[in-house]
Amino acid sequence: MGTAFWADVICIIIAFGILIVRICIKITEEQKRIFDAEAVLDIGKRQIQANAYVLKRMNTGMMAILTAGEGRDYVGKVAALTTVRTFTKLYNQYDSTQSSDNFFEKAFKLANTNVLNTLETGKAYAGCLILNRNILKYGIVGHMNVYVFRGKELILLSKGQIMEELIKEKVNKGLLSKEAALRISDINRAYNFVGRDDYMSPLVSGSEIKLKKKDIVVMITESVQNNISVREMEEVLVKKNSCKEKAREIIEVIKNKDKETANLGLILIGM
């Protein structure tokens, strides 16, 4: 075997090594961009933006937290920011092998304590999404709507912890008559929030939700829900553009109606 043979062997090994490196780089890049995620807040007709969010990526997973604060002056804003910071800090220590249900319980409970320790009054509604590759879990305190857009249809996963859902549950269990339920007028009011003296557990999704390619997870605040129809959102989401463009267009659809809107907030995560 001459010099030419060994030169060919070395070239093949080098070429194979370069191919392996390129494949590893491509896999890493794919893992980093597995989610097309975007969040948009708009102040609406209010003087203070009391909504907050964080999108936090970790390897092949991510956490998305959206909060809507309530309270006079800057109290609602502080409650929302405190909640977001609590979740972000805990997610930095999160391991995808851990139970997401335990994470939600721990994070919401600690956020509740932190808000109470920071403020005398004030509260926040919050929704948290955790994705591990194509598996979705969510936890909600208060009024937050979560959907999956699949094909051309928005599928409602949860309205959050509002009186309407509580009433349905009690009627189904026989704890409340239909007549009594009808007498309750304020059915869309949230019955839970971050910042309670008597902590109440979050609403957590039951089984894991397996997402498909091209699905879009949608989480919106109450003010967005009240000012845009499902059909209008579907008309935006079906377009072949990025989640960033879709999210901004949804907000623009609402703003173009020129209604007296509160703070607006939404998160879109495309698979």
Side-chain angles (χ1 to χ4, degrees):
M1 297 181 183
T3 304
F5 171 79
W6 288 112
D8 288 342
V9 170
I10 291 171
C11 287
I12 291 172
I13 292 173
I14 292 172
F16 185 72
I18 292 172
L19 178 62
I20 294 297
V21 170
R22 286 180 175 175
I23 291 173
C24 291
I25 291 172
K26 185 175 181 181
I27 290 173
T28 301
E29 290 176 346
E30 287 297 324
Q31 288 177 342
K32 287 182 178 179
R33 63 170 181 259
I34 191 171
F35 305 116
D36 174 19
E38 183 65 23
V40 175
L41 303 180
D42 189 89
I43 199 168
K45 300 292 184 179
R46 300 295 174 85
Q47 297 298 313
I48 298 172
Q49 175 57 266
N51 290 352
Y53 75 88
V54 160
L55 301 175
K56 181 74 175 180
R57 299 172 187 268
M58 187 180 292
N59 298 323
T60 58
M62 77 172 298
M63 179 200 72
I65 173 79
L66 178 63
T67 63
E70 286 194 3
R72 296 185 61 181
D73 299 324
Y74 285 90
V75 169
K77 185 180 184 73
V78 173
L81 289 172
T82 300
T83 302
V84 161
R85 289 167 182 161
T86 301
F87 273 78
T88 304
K89 185 176 180 179
L90 285 179
Y91 189 69
N92 287 335
Q93 307 164 14
Y94 181 72
D95 184 333
S96 59
T97 61
Q98 298 173 0
S99 166
S100 55
D101 290 5
N102 290 340
F103 171 82
F104 290 135
E105 184 64 36
K106 183 178 179 180
F108 277 111
K109 191 170 186 176
L110 182 58
N112 191 78
T113 299
N114 289 343
V115 169
L116 287 174
N117 289 340
T118 305
L119 302 165
E120 292 183 2
T121 60
K123 62 183 182 181
Y125 303 132
C128 180
L129 309 174
I130 288 185
L131 293 104
N132 184 18
R133 294 187 183 275
N134 68 326
I135 300 300
L136 168 68
K137 292 281 287 184
Y138 62 82
I140 298 172
V141 162
H143 200 162
M144 201 70 65
N145 289 52
V146 180
Y147 296 86
V148 168
F149 181 72
R150 178 170 294 170
K152 298 181 180 180
E153 183 182 6
L154 262 178
I155 304 166
L156 179 65
L157 298 182
S158 178
K159 292 183 179 181
Q161 294 175 310
I162 59 175
M163 292 301 296
E164 179 182 4
E165 298 304 302
L166 181 63
I167 291 168
K168 287 179 182 178
E169 181 182 346
K170 288 189 174 183
V171 169
N172 290 336
K173 291 182 178 180
L175 301 176
L176 186 70
S177 69
K178 292 182 179 180
E179 292 75 16
L182 290 172
R183 290 197 297 269
I184 302 175
S185 58
D186 190 17
I187 60 174
N188 285 321
R189 180 172 57 83
Y191 63 85
N192 196 11
F193 53 87
V194 178
R196 291 176 60 110
D197 289 324
D198 52 337
Y199 172 74
M200 181 182 291
S201 295
L203 169 68
V204 176
S205 53
S207 57
E208 294 178 339
I209 300 159
K210 190 172 183 180
L211 301 171
K212 298 181 178 180
K213 189 176 181 180
K214 297 184 180 181
D215 280 355
I216 300 175
V217 183
V218 181
M219 183 160 62
I220 58 177
T221 59
E222 178 186 5
S223 55
V224 172
Q225 179 70 30
N226 292 341
N227 287 284
I228 189 169
S229 67
V230 168
R231 178 64 180 275
E232 288 173 318
M233 285 195 288
E234 288 173 340
E235 289 175 351
V236 174
L237 294 170
V238 77
K239 295 180 179 180
K240 296 181 179 180
N241 52 10
S242 68
C243 281
K244 181 177 182 178
E245 293 169 308
K246 295 178 195 293
R248 292 182 175 179
E249 187 172 344
I250 288 173
I251 295 297
E252 286 304 311
V253 169
I254 295 173
K255 292 176 70 174
N256 288 338
K257 295 180 180 182
D258 199 29
K259 291 184 178 180
E260 193 70 25
T261 57
N263 295 160
L264 305 170
L266 77 156
I267 289 177
L268 302 182
I269 303 174
M271 301 301 293

